[in-house]
Amino acid sequence: MTLSLGIDFGTSGARGVVIDQQGGIVSAMRHDWHIGTINWVKCWTEALWSLLAQIPEVFRQEIGTIAINGTSSTILLTDDTGKPVDAPLLYNDSRGAMALERLSRIVPANHTVLSATSSLAKLLWMQELPSFVNARYLLHQADWLGFLLHGKLGISDYHNALKLGYDVEKLQYPEWLEQLQIPLNLPQVFPPGIPIGELLPQIAAEFGFKAHCLVVAGTTDSIAAFLASGAKLPGEAVTSLGSTLVLKLLSRHRIEDARYGIYSHRLGNLWLTGGASNTGGAVLKHFFSDLELVRLSTKIDPTQASMLDYYPLLKPGDRFPINDPQLLPKLEPRPDQPHDFLHGLLESMAKIESRGYELLHNLGADPLTHIYTAGGGAANSTWTTIRQRYLKVPILLSKNTEAAYGTALLAMGKINLERTTEDTEKTEE
Ligand code: ADP
């Protein structure tokens, strides 16, 4: 029996999943963040050891490969022994905003690094810290956690490195980056899932892992969640009906359009493209409890179109599929019956979803063939029927939605990132 371990460092905590060669889950672990955590390095380290310790011993001995995902654009600086020289900057930290003007003079227009939360903007902010003189390496969260396991410094993957400016098409850092003269080691970038090194012998011995257990290059949490869905061919998509509406579509063609916040991650020789709208479950939650959503949904006839035409938002502004920072929420007229109101909301969100996929297609992405659904709204069959009227392709439940599971598939080598052009052409037939 050879097992694989996927570890997810997400926004609310760390999760681990051990799978067998058929993709079956044999063990799952969790370690939640404490509210008000200040020392993230200590917290992550404790979480990593806690997850390893939670795996039943019989399975630990059978694990052959391990992969880790982290939140995108969470970065830290370390000295040349891998010790952090200051606090990490988390994914949603926007202090990099101060660097945007400087960056915009160097970076090609509309590049993904031109965002206050990008790794590169954060790095420029960190360059002003007194502790920067001690820094030798810039690492992403997943890179540093991987280092704790395999002991190699300065290694990353092309999912984490995208928002550092790494050119995922040419597989090299771009020339314009040199103009920034960053005086430290940027990570060497590998394809996600590629073996990086063996688990350090002292860790293998302490936790009872087998010798020669391999740690492979990681990924980001949202890509890991996509991988968990089971989508793998061009035209397959995952809609996440969580607090916001997030679309991800596999395509043979790379598309980028900063106006709509659209960019593409590399996935072997395919591209994972997508966009996110501010509409979604957060608006439903504002008006209804989860129980009410279940109860009222049963009163809706989803085969009939609602005549209510809303743009459900909690505050003005959306980017995808309508790029308008001033776009006003449209939630009127409000019918007397709450289930009629809910019908209008679900119907309007289905239209926004459909318009999103249409926009991706118009920008050059492959046409939709299947949609897997994840997030809190995925279980709502009334909504699925409404969505079906607009989307006109099979809508399936994601096989799994846990990023840790997607990362375990990556560790197992189940995600074929090295597909040949021939393979991809075959899938078109
Ligand atoms: P997050 O993006 O916060 O991780 P989740 O995937 O956990 O979100 O989904 C939570 C959202 O799902 C909430 O905003 C809630 O309103 C919505 N939701 C929960 N149950 C239902 C339901 N039966 N139908 C539609 N939406 C639902």
Side-chain angles (χ1 to χ4, degrees), residues 11 240-246 280-295 297 342 346 349 374-381 383:
T11 53
S240 175
L241 302 174
S243 302
T244 56
L245 172 74
V246 184
V283 185
L284 299 177
K285 202 174 187 147
H286 180 77
F287 294 105
F288 305 105
S289 69
D290 286 0
L291 268 179
E292 284 170 328
L293 287 172
V294 172
R295 188 174 56 80
S297 294
L342 178 62
L346 299 179
M349 288 197 259
N380 186 329
S381 58
W383 199 356

Side-chain angles (χ1 to χ4, degrees), residues 171-311:
L171 297 176
Q172 62 190 34
Y173 284 103
E175 272 172 26
W176 54 256
L177 202 61
E178 281 164 26
Q179 292 178 48
L180 292 171
Q181 298 193 318
I182 298 163
L184 46 65
N185 298 301
L186 294 183
Q188 200 184 343
V189 181
F190 290 88
I194 287 286
I196 299 299
E198 290 184 358
L199 186 62
L200 288 168
Q202 62 269 33
I203 297 174
E206 184 183 337
F207 289 93
F209 282 88
K210 66 175 166 194
H212 312 304
C213 171
L214 275 178
V215 183
V216 307
T219 181
T220 63
D221 60 344
S222 58
I223 294 190
F226 179 87
L227 298 177
S229 71
K232 43 168 92 66
L233 299 176
E236 293 187 341
V238 174
T239 296
S240 175
L241 302 174
S243 302
T244 56
L245 172 74
V246 184
L247 313 188
K248 291 206 170 80
L249 170 65
L250 265 183
S251 168
R252 287 162 306 157
H253 315 287
R254 179 182 192 179
I255 60 167
E256 309 273 317
D257 196 322
R259 288 174 302 164
Y260 300 106
I262 296 172
Y263 58 91
S264 300
H265 269 286
R266 187 177 184 135
L267 218 55
N269 64 356
L270 293 179
W271 295 94
L272 182 55
T273 180
S277 166
N278 292 333
T279 195
V283 185
L284 299 177
K285 202 174 187 147
H286 180 77
F287 294 105
F288 305 105
S289 69
D290 286 0
L291 268 179
E292 284 170 328
L293 287 172
V294 172
R295 188 174 56 80
L296 294 172
S297 294
T298 61
K299 295 188 171 183
I300 296 172
D301 177 359
T303 61
Q304 299 301 312
S306 163
M307 290 303 131
L308 297 162
D309 188 25
Y310 298 146
Y311 202 101

